[in-house]
Amino acid sequence: MMDQLVFAAEVFLNGLMTGVMYALVALGFVLIFKASGVFNYAQGVLALFAALTLVGIQQGQVPFAHLINAMLGTHISSFGWTVPALLAILLTAGVMVLLAFLIEKLVLQHLVGQEPIILFMATIGLAYFLEGLGDVMWGADIKTLDVGLPQGISDGIEAVTGEWFGYGFFIDRLDIWATIIAALLVAALVAFSQYTKQGRAMRAVADDHQAALSVGISLRFIWVMVWSIAGFVALVAGIMWGTKSGVQFSLSLIALKALPVLMLGGFTSIPGAIIGGLIIGVGEKLFEFLIGPMVGGATENWFAYVLALLFLVFRPQGLFGERIIERV
């Protein structure tokens, strides 16, 4: 019995770590929704594009090498140098800011005042465009991402828990670092949203584009700022997931796991994205541990969506979301 409890505790801790990874992706959705009132379908692809760009810069790849070789008959592939991890991350962050500017200039600027469904459809088109652009720029092969984050089982936690429980917990050091980074990132975003002039302007833009413009708020600046922040969050998520499972095009599908997180936490709440991620992460791990053997396993594939469905039925605004009341 004690062995089962100790193992359940390990599953719980691993669930917390997984939940943080989900929450990192969900944060990008929340930021865009708070600024534009629309669900950004492209957030998962932003994480993929950021990870692909980071690997490409770090390894000194020539962008569009496959296209250049096909058109000119050349055989170029790289510049012949590698870029240090920190510099590559900074350069990739710059690329994401430039991408945010281009998205505002070429897409969002022409959709001011449009219905949310129009903006949503624009993000769908943007997602497929960025996925294709990433393929053409950096290639479709699976890439290894290494920015120096510790990986492997934490010997310290294994030793300490072994002394306490007689059984060492197998906790990945990458998950520990993801938890620390996510906590710092969330604290910074909450402080920015609540206590800065730009954060208040962001919330005003989300409520009413035209009203925000009428009081002197620059819609262009807010959208570039928010998409830049969302791009940075996507970069962090891409680093964590890419380091954990490799940079491949299925990385964009992590956005699907963020949907239940948003439904639980609320589409407008930054803390809600974190709490929702932790609930989903812990819930799916414990459910697989306790109920999975009874139903043949693989419950992690559907548990989050069933839980989200229940929330949609009984509390559609989520745990921390704002209840929208429209008077007719």
Side-chain angles (χ1 to χ4, degrees), residues 114-127:
Q114 296 294 327
E115 295 294 326
I117 186 62
I118 303 298
L119 290 168
F120 173 65
M121 294 301 293
T123 66
I124 293 178
L126 182 63

Side-chain angles (χ1 to χ4, degrees), residues 14 150-154 170-177 244:
N14 276 290
Q151 298 186 61
I153 302 301
S154 173
F170 295 97
I171 305 296
D172 196 322
R173 285 179 289 180
L174 176 61
D175 292 338
I176 297 174
W177 275 94
K244 192 179 184 70

Side-chain angles (χ1 to χ4, degrees), residues 183-324:
L184 294 174
L185 191 59
V186 170
L189 289 174
V190 170
F192 173 80
S193 177
Q194 298 296 327
Y195 303 112
T196 66
K197 180 180 178 181
Q198 291 80 8
R200 291 190 293 271
M202 180 178 69
R203 298 200 303 273
V205 169
D207 289 337
D208 193 315
H209 294 173
Q210 298 296 339
L213 286 170
S214 69
V215 297
I217 296 175
S218 173
L219 193 61
R220 294 189 60 186
F221 172 77
I222 294 298
W223 272 352
V224 169
M225 177 190 69
V226 171
W227 277 83
S228 297
I229 297 174
F232 178 73
V233 172
L235 171 59
V236 175
I239 289 172
M240 298 305 172
W241 282 99
T243 302
K244 192 179 184 70
S245 56
V247 179
Q248 50 192 315
F249 277 76
S250 61
L251 183 66
S252 63
L253 299 179
I254 59 175
L256 297 179
K257 232 13 179 332
L259 293 178
V261 173
L262 294 168
M263 292 174 189
L264 263 67
F267 280 81
T268 59
S269 173
I270 292 175
I274 301 303
I275 301 300
L278 296 179
I279 292 174
I280 293 295
V282 171
E284 68 178 17
K285 296 294 184 183
L286 287 178
F287 193 84
E288 175 69 26
F289 171 67
L290 297 173
I291 308 299
M294 303 178 189
V295 296
T299 61
E300 291 185 39
N301 296 329
W302 52 262
F303 171 81
Y305 301 98
V306 173
L307 184 60
L309 178 61
L310 294 176
F311 266 78
L312 286 176
V313 172
F314 296 104
R315 189 177 174 83
Q317 74 271 23
L319 292 173
F320 299 92
E322 300 173 358
R323 183 186 292 272
I324 299 175

Side-chain angles (χ1 to χ4, degrees), residues 43-57:
Q43 186 62 32
V45 181
L46 280 178
L48 168 66
F49 184 81
L52 286 171
T53 303
L54 176 58
V55 174
I57 292 175

